Amino acid sequence: MFITASGISKKYYRPTKNASHFEAVKTMDFVLEPGKLTEITGRSGSGKSTLLYMLAGLLKPTTGTVSFDGTDVYSLKDDELSRVRNAAIGVIPQGQTGLFALTVLQNVLAPAAIYGDTSALEARAKELLRQVGIADLADAKMSELSGGEMRRMAIARALIMNPSVVFADEPTDDLDDENTRAVLELLAATAKTGKSVLLVTHEATAAQYADVVYRMDAGELKS
């Protein structure tokens, strides 16, 4: 899947004394190609996460269009866009996410449960948990996990549907060096299977795994 952005920007209204707009992402074009791990680095507040969520179909741009294989995703109805995201897009969000009433394995399988049967993907879910180093926690509840273990669960969950595109927003936060390497190797291996992977990170060593590296600065993307 090719994800193409044309003329996208994101502005937020700030009701200050002078009533102004803050431009989180300045107008740009962008293409996310299959088979490559693309990294965006930059300081906190530079706009890189905002760009990621616009490209993922989760945050509508103020201007411009985002297309998945030529289809303008923000012109789709909500249910149509949800199905596209469920089938083809994997998102690893910042922070610690999960449904605390479910086990780790059930959380990983949650995307499959939305529109279908999870049984066919249970073996894949267990293998993904093994790859991120928490196979022994499959039956644990989220309240029993550390922050880093929650992060690794979210990575497995993002990959469960074998998505065409993976968006990873600071996926190695809370991880030690060994698990950081394991996650970056998994994302690089995913890209090598022909998937598109977009990685937003502060991790200094991530560049050695990336095929393309950009830097975000004050809403502008620079190669």
Side-chain angles (χ1 to χ4, degrees), residues 15-140:
T16 61
K17 181 178 180 180
N18 296 319
S20 62
H21 286 83
F22 167 65
E23 196 168 25
V25 174
K26 296 179 180 178
T27 304
M28 68 174 71
D29 299 329
F30 187 83
V31 177
L32 188 60
E33 297 182 46
K36 292 184 178 180
L37 172 54
T38 301
E39 176 192 348
I40 300 178
T41 187
R43 296 178 180 178
S44 295
S46 61
K48 56 190 187 298
S49 293
T50 301
L51 175 59
L52 180 148
Y53 287 109
M54 286 195 292
L55 294 172
L58 292 165
L59 179 64
K60 187 174 182 179
T62 304
T63 64
T65 59
V66 176
S67 299
F68 294 175
D69 284 342
T71 299
D72 178 0
V73 298
Y74 291 105
S75 70
L76 298 174
K77 296 179 180 178
D78 286 346
D79 60 333
E80 294 172 331
L81 180 53
S82 293
R83 284 187 173 273
V84 170
R85 288 200 307 256
N86 181 262
I89 304 295
V91 178
I92 305 166
Q94 281 194 42
Q96 299 163 5
T97 61
L99 299 173
F100 277 65
L102 304 180
T103 66
V104 169
L105 181 61
Q106 289 169 335
N107 266 280
V108 173
L109 288 167
I114 295 174
Y115 295 113
D117 182 13
T118 63
S119 58
L121 288 174
E122 188 166 328
R124 174 172 170 78
K126 291 179 179 178
E127 172 59 19
L128 286 168
L129 288 175
R130 185 195 67 77
Q131 291 181 38
V132 297
I134 54 171
D136 58 328
L137 297 173
D139 295 324

Side-chain angles (χ1 to χ4, degrees), residues 155-203:
I155 293 166
R157 183 184 59 202
L159 297 176
I160 187 62
M161 301 297 287
N162 194 26
S164 299
V165 186
V166 178
F167 292 94
D169 191 5
E170 302 286 0
T172 59
D173 272 9
D174 304 324
L175 301 186
D176 59 22
D177 290 345
E178 180 181 357
N179 285 307
T180 291
R181 285 193 300 272
V183 167
L184 292 174
E185 288 170 359
L186 177 58
L187 293 175
T190 299
K192 285 182 171 58
T193 67
K195 315 297 186 184
S196 304
V197 180
L198 180 62
L199 169 64
V200 162
T201 184
H202 291 103
E203 180 59 50

